[in-house]
Amino acid sequence: MTDPASVDSGIDLAPHELRILVAVERERGFSAAAAALGLTQSAVSHSVRGSERKIGAVLFERGRTGARPTAAGERAVAHARRILRLLDTLVAEARGAAGGAVEGPLRIAAFRSVALHLLPPVLVRLRAAHPGIEPEVRVVREVGPGTAGEVAAGRADLAIATIGTSSPIPAGLVGGVLLEEPYSFVHPAGHPDPRSLPLVDWTEACTSYTRDWWAAQDWIPRASMRTEDDGAVLSMVSAGHGMAIMPALSLTGAPATVAITDLGPQRPTREVGYVTTPELARSLAVRALIRELRADRAPSGGPDPRG
Amino acid sequence: MTDPASVDSGIDLAPHELRILVAVERERGFSAAAAALGLTQSAVSHSVRGSERKIGAVLFERGRTGARPTAAGERAVAHARRILRLLDTLVAEARGAAGGAVEGPLRIAAFRSVALHLLPPVLVRLRAAHPGIEPEVRVVREVGPGTAGEVAAGRADLAIATIGTSSPIPAGLVGGVLLEEPYSFVHPAGHPDPRSLPLVDWTEACTSYTRDWWAAQDWIPRASMRTEDDGAVLSMVSAGHGMAIMPALSLTGAPATVAITDLGPQRPTREVGYVTTPELARSLAVRALIRELRADRAPSGGPDPRG
DNA sequence: TCGGCGTATGAGGATGATTCATGGAAGGGG
DNA sequence: CCCCTTCCATGAATCATCCTCATACGCCGA
């Protein structure tokens, strides 16, 4: 401290310190973070204390129930995540530039219907083309920050998200539209008057997309029910308890007990696309995945919106 | 490689290793880098060797004349600079969040006319709003990678660059347009037939912008001369040795010995904007600078292109 | 063949990270 | 009220890592 030359030796945080900060924030506690990292609680305590001394600010409020980040801690953790990701891409890109194969983990955030029905064949082809890539799909609710929020927070490399005027690509991220899928009218097969059934909705339903459509209809649902996810909606409809307006992806592999009716040219639609960071968009693994996603979309028709 | 458990302990490079890579690239040699960092040549050699082992690629070609980066090394060094910068901002912003102030250096790359005529009032207001910020402007020729290249290489935090179809924002970076400035016809005041004078050009002139305009004109310059920069162009014109087509910023504070003629509605224009990395776009200092840049642009008219 | 200029390498010491063992503080039952 | 659990903090010992010193290697030009 007294010697100015001694300052330059250690103002910056080492990667393991950054990892510890991120883990403490994620696990909401020192002990839990230590367990998650395979370290001792003491090591985490020492490391956080050292980081705080280097930075000169308290990063976590320690309490009875664990540790929660302060305002300074929030910022530090957000930067830490991005730095760690850049460190990974540094290694990956340098390897790639050296002529090596594409390899390493690839964290994908997707909502349920995409993870179940769109990604599997894509990832099969991706692994066939690039055996070194290890895709990890995490299902994320498309509410709040949604899947794109996972990318923004550094917890995912690429997100499959609904893209539109009401949910644009977040600032600082890049992305593109993969497919525009129509909503269809789903109802129990053989029901005499399915429109009299209550409407079954779910939390992630993009109501803003369908609201305009409802407003233009001459019939409105008798009642409405809300369920957990689109799979549950399909179960309800299949059991004859209601009808629903669902996007095509959620209807993939629907049982024969439900009937699907096209809503005609005025039907509502939603656009599904990918979102990633500009950095990762340049990485070979992410580009390979986007290529496969596009190749998957291509046979189903539609012009290429790519620039 | 043989022990899988040993892999997770150290794939990522420590800050001091990144610093050494950057120094070797800058100093073009291990010994010179060691001297610059106050280390031993042996330490640099060990460190680079360790980094190469972790990455799995040769980063520098060693020879009797020193060391030069390979393709993999180029990428690694560019990432290293950006990571080191992010580490600095992490500390600075965490301190700021705790103390309430934004502080630290802010490296701006700009071409000559912007540095002379656009930035000064902006930086005055920036320093007034955030006394802790220390802006450092570096004048960079807008040729080759240009100012945006400085950001991509991690040598600047934000670049003022010309943005257009022929020079888009580089992949992996983000940016926005600040102003669209017209080119004007500059000639010696009082000259009877300025169009008969030779055209004075300079290295950075965005000839692609003006070329189309020339093609649509019914008069072509008699001859052309090339000078060092736009300031020299203005001197030549002022001395009566030629005429030129120059953007508005370069004409700020032009002497009374030159006359400026508007080229009418068909005049060529160029767009001037900022370019930064997605990570730094989230930092407080960069955001404050962009805010002041926008505030400066606003009074001169034009809609806000920002999303 | 010999300096001069680069880098590579091995051994030893300093620096720092992790662990072990222990202490303190705050709730929640009995 | 006491105990028990669950957190985090702290000090000393252990262990890994980084740095330096000394030296070896390769390459050029005189």
Side-chain angles (χ1 to χ4, degrees):
Chain A
M1 332 318 185
T2 58
D3 181 12
S6 72
V7 174
D8 68 343
S9 75
I11 326 179
D12 36 39
L13 286 72
H16 60 89
E17 295 180 292
L18 301 180
R19 239 181 281 280
I20 287 175
L21 294 184
V22 170
V24 169
E25 192 265 355
R26 174 165 29 89
E27 305 291 336
R28 293 272 186 267
F30 286 24
S31 303
L37 292 174
L39 293 180
T40 309
Q41 172 268 328
S42 177
V44 173
S45 179
H46 275 134
S47 178
V48 172
R49 185 165 188 70
S51 300
E52 288 178 331
R53 189 177 44 76
K54 288 179 187 174
I55 291 179
V58 178
L59 299 179
F60 292 95
E61 301 239 4
R62 284 84 150 170
R64 195 67 220 91
T65 73
R68 302 181 63 82
T70 64
E74 294 273 12
R75 286 206 165 269
V77 168
H79 271 101
R81 266 198 271 259
R82 301 198 91 81
I83 291 171
L84 290 172
R85 197 101 293 268
L86 270 184
L87 277 169
D88 283 353
T89 58
L90 185 156
V91 174
E93 285 208 8
R95 277 183 189 156
V102 186
E103 62 182 13
L106 183 61
R107 305 169 303 166
I108 306 167
F111 47 90
R112 187 177 168 280
S113 56
V114 163
L116 286 181
H117 304 123
L118 176 69
L119 285 181
V122 170
L123 296 185
V124 166
R125 286 204 315 278
L126 180 67
R127 296 220 53 163
H130 306 280
I133 295 181
E134 304 155 19
E136 305 166 1
V137 178
R138 198 150 40 80
V139 175
V140 175
R141 281 279 157 80
E142 194 69 331
V143 291
T147 55
E150 297 297 298
V151 173
R155 287 189 290 267
D157 301 322
L158 184 139
I160 308 292
T162 58
I163 298 177
T165 54
S166 66
S167 59
I169 296 174
L173 299 181
V174 299
V177 174
L178 291 169
L179 55 91
E180 179 178 3
E181 57 169 352
Y183 283 79
S184 294
F185 180 41
V186 197
H187 51 93
H191 193 284
D193 185 13
R195 296 191 174 189
S196 67
L197 290 169
L199 174 72
V200 188
D201 208 348
W202 75 102
T203 356
E204 297 171 77
C206 310
T207 51
S208 60
Y209 287 90
T210 54
R211 192 160 303 167
D212 295 343
W213 183 82
W214 276 120
Q217 297 305 304
D218 51 354
W219 60 284
I220 56 171
R222 203 169 50 104
S224 93
M225 313 166 48
R226 183 167 287 262
T227 68
E228 185 64 10
D229 59 39
D230 54 339
V233 174
L234 209 51
S235 298
M236 297 286 290
V237 174
S238 173
H241 298 134
M243 56 86 185
I245 306 292
M246 302 183 71
L249 266 179
S250 298
L251 295 173
T252 310
T257 51
V258 304
I260 302 171
T261 305
D262 192 286
L263 291 171
Q266 297 294 338
R267 67 196 176 193
T269 62
R270 71 170 181 183
E271 288 181 328
V272 176
Y274 65 91
V275 174
T276 184
T277 73
E279 295 291 336
L280 290 165
R282 300 192 60 211
S283 76
L284 299 173
V286 167
R287 270 161 52 190
L289 172 59
I290 293 173
R291 199 177 311 125
E292 293 300 336
L293 284 167
R294 286 226 158 83
D296 187 73
R297 186 274 330 262
S300 65
D304 193 328
R306 177 84 196 301
Chain B
M1 278 308 192
T2 57
D3 182 9
S6 72
V7 173
D8 67 343
S9 77
I11 324 179
D12 37 37
L13 286 72
H16 59 88
E17 294 180 294
L18 301 180
R19 239 181 281 280
I20 288 175
L21 294 183
V22 170
V24 169
E25 191 266 355
R26 173 164 32 86
E27 305 291 336
R28 293 275 185 265
F30 286 23
S31 303
L37 293 174
L39 293 179
T40 309
Q41 171 268 329
S42 175
V44 173
S45 180
H46 276 134
S47 177
V48 172
R49 185 164 186 66
S51 299
E52 289 178 330
R53 190 176 43 76
K54 289 179 186 173
I55 291 179
V58 178
L59 299 179
F60 292 95
E61 301 239 6
R62 284 86 147 170
R64 20 258 163 261
T65 75
R68 300 182 65 84
T70 64
E74 293 272 13
R75 294 198 187 201
V77 168
H79 275 262
R81 267 196 277 257
R82 292 164 65 166
I83 291 170
L84 289 172
R85 178 62 179 137
L86 274 184
L87 279 168
D88 284 349
T89 62
L90 185 156
V91 173
E93 292 205 359
R95 278 181 189 154
V102 188
E103 61 182 18
L106 182 61
R107 305 168 303 167
I108 306 168
F111 46 89
R112 189 179 168 279
S113 57
V114 163
L116 285 182
H117 303 122
L118 176 69
L119 285 180
V122 170
L123 297 186
V124 165
R125 287 205 313 279
L126 179 68
R127 297 221 51 167
H130 306 279
I133 294 182
E134 303 155 20
E136 304 167 1
V137 178
R138 202 154 83 278
V139 175
V140 175
R141 281 281 157 80
E142 195 70 330
V143 290
T147 57
E150 296 298 295
V151 173
R155 287 189 287 266
D157 302 324
L158 183 139
I160 309 291
T162 57
I163 297 176
T165 53
S166 67
S167 60
I169 296 174
L173 300 180
V174 298
V177 174
L178 291 170
L179 57 90
E180 179 179 1
E181 57 170 353
Y183 283 79
S184 295
F185 180 42
V186 197
H187 51 92
H191 193 283
D193 184 13
R195 296 191 175 190
S196 67
L197 290 170
L199 174 71
V200 187
D201 207 347
W202 77 100
T203 352
E204 301 171 72
C206 310
T207 51
S208 61
Y209 288 91
T210 53
R211 192 161 302 167
D212 296 342
W213 183 82
W214 277 119
Q217 297 304 306
D218 53 356
W219 60 286
I220 56 171
R222 202 170 53 103
S224 91
M225 313 165 51
R226 182 166 290 262
T227 67
E228 183 65 11
D229 57 41
D230 54 341
V233 173
L234 209 51
S235 296
M236 298 287 289
V237 173
S238 172
H241 298 134
M243 55 87 184
I245 306 291
M246 301 183 71
L249 266 179
S250 298
L251 295 173
T252 310
T257 49
V258 304
I260 302 171
T261 306
D262 191 286
L263 290 172
Q266 298 294 337
R267 68 195 175 194
T269 63
R270 70 171 182 184
E271 288 181 330
V272 175
Y274 66 91
V275 174
T276 183
T277 73
E279 288 82 17
L280 289 168
R282 287 177 165 73
S283 75
L284 296 175
V286 167
R287 270 161 50 190
L289 172 59
I290 293 174
R291 198 177 314 125
E292 294 300 338
L293 284 167
R294 287 224 158 83
D296 187 73
R297 186 272 331 263
S300 66
D304 193 329
R306 179 80 198 303

